[in-house]
Amino acid sequence: QVQLVESGGGLVQAGGSLRLSCAASGRTFSSYAMGWFRQAPGKEREFVSAITRGGGNTYYADSVKGRFTISRDNAKNMVYLQMNSLKPEDTAVYCCAAGYYSSRSATYDYWGQGTQVTVST
């Protein structure tokens, strides 16, 4: 069992940066790949980024590639999403998830509640 709690969201102007954090409980954190997903109002949940158990491989949606960076610290049971050059279309609730390394939400077993990111023009 893994419990996930996100933090770091907020209101930022276009072009700005935010760093999201996801704290995981449980001693099996390093057994899971981690992903970030987002959901904007009226839209379906979409994949943002994923990182393998050891952190050696990462994967990004085309819409965030080159602007977002995912990382993890297994010693601290943390995963991060550094978001730079933010755009209004990045506005969404961002959730972290633990599971299998994939862009498909169905492969993730555990989910956090999410943190709101709002990018103003």
Side-chain angles (χ1 to χ4, degrees), residues 35-101:
W36 284 97
F37 291 79
R38 66 188 183 186
Q39 187 166 18
K43 295 187 177 181
E44 293 186 353
R45 178 190 290 165
E46 66 169 344
F47 169 76
V48 175
S49 183
I51 188 166
T52 50
R53 292 176 295 176
N57 288 291
T58 58
Y59 182 34
Y60 297 93
D62 288 343
S63 59
V64 307
K65 201 173 295 182
R67 300 187 298 122
F68 290 12
T69 302
I70 190 171
S71 62
R72 69 189 294 164
D73 186 338
N74 286 345
K76 296 182 179 179
N77 281 14
M78 296 290 294
V79 63
Y80 306 99
L81 186 68
Q82 177 67 43
M83 305 186 297
N84 298 328
S85 302
L86 282 161
K87 304 175 181 180
E89 51 263 44
D90 294 318
T91 295
V93 174
Y94 285 70
C95 294
C96 64
Y100 179 76
Y101 183 62

Side-chain angles (χ1 to χ4, degrees), residues 10-16 18 86-91 117-121:
L11 174 65
V12 63
Q13 287 189 327
L18 281 175
L86 282 161
K87 304 175 181 180
E89 51 263 44
D90 294 318
T91 295
V117 171
T118 303
V119 184
S120 64
T121 55

